[in-house]
Amino acid sequence: MILSPSILAGDFTRLGSTIQMLNDSEADWIHLDVMDGLFVPNISFGFPVIKNISGIARKPLDAHLMIVDPDRYVAELASMGVEYVSVHYEACNHLHRSLQNIRSHGMKAGVALNPHTPASVLEYILEYADFVLVMSVNPGFGGQSFIESSLRKIAEIKAMIVSKGLSTLIQVDGGVNLKNAGALKEAGADSIVVGSAITSAEDPAAVISALKRI
Ligand code: DX5
Ligand code: ZN
């Protein structure tokens, strides 16, 4: 699976060394959790920080926008070299337009679903997305417990992708660790986002290697 470590639970006073560690690790992408204090009850970091990260990151940047009206920032993310951008189904009144906007800026477009949002909402939008991000915790914070019903949702989305003959990737985000990653792969996940299980480990690079062997 494509491993996209989240820096959210890391120590922001040492952001540079976290990015260097990820550069030197087997991680595939770097997951950036952008929060606005409106869509989710937390504020994380914004464009000045992403700009600094993009200056030193040697892995594709994967921006997860937990913000209202994300279209406002798509051009700016593209100019910083971000490659993957996911927006929330629950935050976009015109989701089709938002995905096309991301793609028109040369980036891969993802639709993120909150834990309560059913897979069925993807029926008319799946073909316009490069990936679906299944939230397996309520967005806003790192370090929460995995919500088990996410496994069934992943399997349902995988079946939709197969029946439509698409190659959309499924990314899973929230409470992912070495214990549940195997079940996620089996359910159909192509990519996992892992925050605290990596950043709180004594040897983060070793956890990354172990996750890559699943
Ligand atoms: C939650 C974020 C996640 C989070 C994952 O709102 O979208 O990316 O950082 O962290 P863990 O792996 O600790 O749940
Ligand atoms: Zn995320």
Side-chain angles (χ1 to χ4, degrees), residues 6 8 31-35 62-66 86 88 133 135 139 171 173-174 193:
S6 163
L8 184 66
H31 187 80
L32 305 175
D33 286 304
V34 181
M35 304 179 183
D62 161 31
H64 175 194
L65 303 184
M66 287 162 275
S86 51
H88 269 263
L133 186 165
M135 283 304 305
Q171 184 176 57
D173 183 6
V193 174

Side-chain angles (χ1 to χ4, degrees), residues 101-121:
N101 185 25
I102 294 168
R103 282 180 160 182
S104 75
H105 283 84
M107 301 183 289
K108 301 286 186 200
V111 180
L113 302 183
N114 276 341
H116 72 274
T117 303
S120 58
V121 303

Side-chain angles (χ1 to χ4, degrees), residues 103 122-130 132 157 160-161 164 166 168:
R103 282 180 160 182
L122 297 170
E123 173 68 21
Y124 294 98
I125 203 70
L126 203 50
E127 67 197 273
Y128 304 101
D130 299 294
V132 175
I157 296 170
M160 286 172 85
I161 291 168
K164 289 175 185 290
L166 299 170
T168 325

Side-chain angles (χ1 to χ4, degrees), residues 134-137 146-155 172:
V134 176
M135 283 304 305
S136 41
V137 298
F146 181 81
I147 297 171
E148 287 296 325
S149 59
S150 314
L151 283 167
R152 188 157 56 88
K153 198 192 289 188
I154 295 163
V172 188

